[in-house]
Amino acid sequence: MNERNIGGLPPGTGGIHDGMDNPLGSAPVRSLMMKFAIPSIIGMLVSALYNMVDQLFIGKAVGTLGNTATGIAFPFTTGCMAIALLLGIGGASCFNLSLGMGDKKRAPYFAGNSLSLLAVSGIVLSVITLLYLTPLLKRFGATDAVLPYAEEYVKYTALGFPFLILTAGGGHIVRADGSPKMTMICNVTGAVINTILDAVFVLVLDWGMKGAAIATVIGQFISALIVIIYCFNFKTVYLTGKHLMPSFGIVRRICSIGMASCFNQLAIAVVQIVLNNSLRHYGELSKYGAEDPIAVASIVMKVNMIVFSIVIGLAQGTQPIESFNYGAKNYERVKSAFRMAIVSGAVISLIAFVNFQIFPKQILGVFANNDASEGYYEFGAKFFRIFLFFTWLNCLQPIASTFFTSIGKPFKGIFLSLTRQILFFLPMLIILPMAFEIDGITFAGPVADVLSASVAILMAKSEFKDMHEKEWM
């Protein structure tokens, strides 16, 4: 199948004039970016803050072992996000591509199938996690000291997987329907509830790991409930029960489009597991021990996720603009949206880089209590400064990957989504520690960042050249 036609769009339908009444095809790109990207950024930030808030309260109440436990549990959350993005981004992109080409009959099937599969997949993942919880946590790098904390945390958060997946994935469908503010409201509401309940359950009631987990699940449930209510009030199309029934052809196309974002999250999960086990092994051989390095890496990753969430939010904010205008053959608007996302992402990433280099110990102190060791701060400052040295380049790969997905070229998006984590970082994570031990783990990050950014630049440049040639055909 030709990559351009993936997404269920019949060739020869639509065209540039089909979308002239839709603001995605006529409104100023800058204003559309503000409309879609800002709520998307807020939504992504809120998603990142869910785990960060847990880590903050756990660090103060439980200490380093609690922080280490949340790092061990993080691959579960990443796995949920992988499913959410597979079906959410895939469904949203196909939905907007269909509308851009004038196919309003097929568009609601992409939205409906995505929503039903999000709910079902969350239930399946929850059951699997609870059945194999202890062996999975050990595989993820849990030490004997950390395992009880991790078990207590995940056995509750696993109950919220269906709500997390439906909220994260359904938010993309809601945004694609032209309601980015509703996606923002959905995520912010859950996060505020989670934060308030974290303070009550962890600090006031002294429930520890269990309290943080229960607070998270309640927040996710409220957010998922808002998504479900919205699904009965779609704006651009009318959803009925038949649109929710999975169809092989529809699901296949949704998955083919969403694979890039899904693989990116799966790659992060795989890398997190390898990273935890590497830090455990080489940490035991160093003066820092096994637990402190894992706790530090968990904090650094989640702090960096704040920056990464803004970048991904920018990329997701461009998705409806890029998808619709590519389908309508308005290539200049596609390029304009991409350029705005890159410039904005670069500015945000540069600000983050400066803070990571100047204030690493202060950031680490926010997540620690008075029992934190000197090694925690020493290794943490080094990890922040070296591992995230090329943070200012991190915006290129996720924005470019989302760009290819948005224009219906999932295979390019999939490849690009795998470059940083799988093709570059994972091999470096295995090879460099053999020569430099635990310091080699810190060097793996900047090497992967430079290589993946270079590939993203080359691929985007080639695609823009192809678009330029089409405009003159």
Side-chain angles (χ1 to χ4, degrees), residues 26-363:
S26 58
V29 174
R30 184 180 297 274
S31 65
L32 288 171
M33 281 285 293
M34 296 288 288
K35 176 183 178 181
F36 286 96
I38 291 178
S40 180
I41 290 170
I42 293 174
M44 289 301 300
L45 281 173
V46 169
S47 297
L49 285 171
Y50 262 110
N51 285 297
M52 178 173 285
V53 167
D54 280 359
Q55 186 132 20
L56 191 152
F57 283 104
I58 287 171
K60 293 296 184 182
V62 181
T64 301
L65 289 177
N67 273 333
T68 306
T70 61
I72 297 299
F74 193 56
F76 288 111
T77 301
T78 311
C80 288
M81 292 304 297
I83 296 173
L85 294 181
L86 172 69
L87 300 170
I89 288 287
S93 295
C94 291
F95 181 80
N96 286 133
L97 282 165
S98 295
L99 290 180
M101 298 187 75
D103 191 356
K104 286 191 174 183
K105 183 177 181 180
R106 180 167 257 187
Y109 285 97
F110 289 118
N113 275 221
S114 294
L115 291 167
S116 60
L117 289 175
L118 285 166
V120 172
S121 60
I123 295 172
V124 172
L125 184 60
S126 178
V127 171
I128 293 173
T129 299
L130 292 172
L131 286 176
Y132 302 101
L133 180 58
T134 299
L136 283 172
L137 290 172
K138 289 181 177 179
R139 290 286 185 183
F140 291 176
T143 63
D144 291 338
V146 172
L147 185 60
Y149 295 93
E151 287 178 329
E152 184 178 13
Y153 184 72
V154 179
K155 74 180 180 182
Y156 290 103
T157 56
L159 298 176
F161 288 172
F163 311 131
L164 172 59
I165 292 174
L166 185 58
T167 299
H172 296 290
I173 304 299
V174 173
R175 186 184 304 111
D177 188 50
S179 300
K181 288 184 180 179
M182 182 55 66
T183 300
M184 178 183 69
I185 291 171
C186 168
N187 288 309
V188 169
T189 301
V192 170
I193 291 172
N194 176 40
T195 303
I196 294 173
L197 293 181
D198 258 328
V200 174
F201 293 165
V202 179
L203 299 182
V204 178
L205 299 180
D206 196 26
W207 285 0
M209 304 296 293
K210 177 180 72 174
I214 294 174
T216 297
V217 173
I218 293 175
Q220 291 167 349
F221 171 76
I222 298 299
S223 294
L225 187 61
I226 296 174
V227 171
I228 293 172
I229 293 172
Y230 181 89
C231 291
F232 291 98
N233 298 278
F234 254 62
K235 291 165 54 177
T236 56
V237 297
Y238 182 69
L239 282 183
T240 64
K242 67 179 182 180
H243 298 131
L244 299 174
M245 296 299 296
S247 165
F248 177 76
I250 295 294
V251 173
R252 181 183 61 186
R253 285 162 180 162
I254 288 173
C255 291
S256 68
I257 292 291
M259 276 184 186
S261 298
C262 173
F263 281 5
N264 193 40
Q265 289 295 311
L266 288 177
I268 292 173
V270 170
V271 167
Q272 185 70 47
I273 294 169
V274 175
L275 178 62
N276 286 342
N277 282 282
S278 296
L279 288 168
R280 174 182 178 178
H281 174 73
Y282 290 104
E284 289 174 341
L285 300 177
S286 72
K287 62 181 180 180
Y288 305 115
E291 283 79 22
D292 279 349
I294 297 177
V296 163
S298 174
I299 292 168
V300 170
M301 292 295 186
K302 288 175 183 176
V303 170
N304 189 46
M305 274 303 297
I306 295 296
V307 183
F308 208 65
S309 294
I310 297 175
V311 172
I312 293 176
L314 284 167
Q316 292 176 354
T318 64
Q319 179 266 313
I321 306 169
E322 292 169 344
S323 292
F324 185 93
N325 286 286
Y326 192 84
K329 301 181 181 179
N330 293 324
Y331 299 126
E332 189 56 41
R333 292 174 64 81
V334 176
K335 291 185 283 186
S336 179
F338 178 85
R339 285 193 295 264
M340 287 183 189
I342 289 292
V343 172
S344 302
V347 172
I348 295 298
S349 299
L350 187 59
I351 294 172
F353 165 76
V354 173
N355 281 279
F356 294 160
Q357 295 299 310
I358 298 176
F359 306 113
K361 290 187 177 180
Q362 289 85 343
I363 297 172

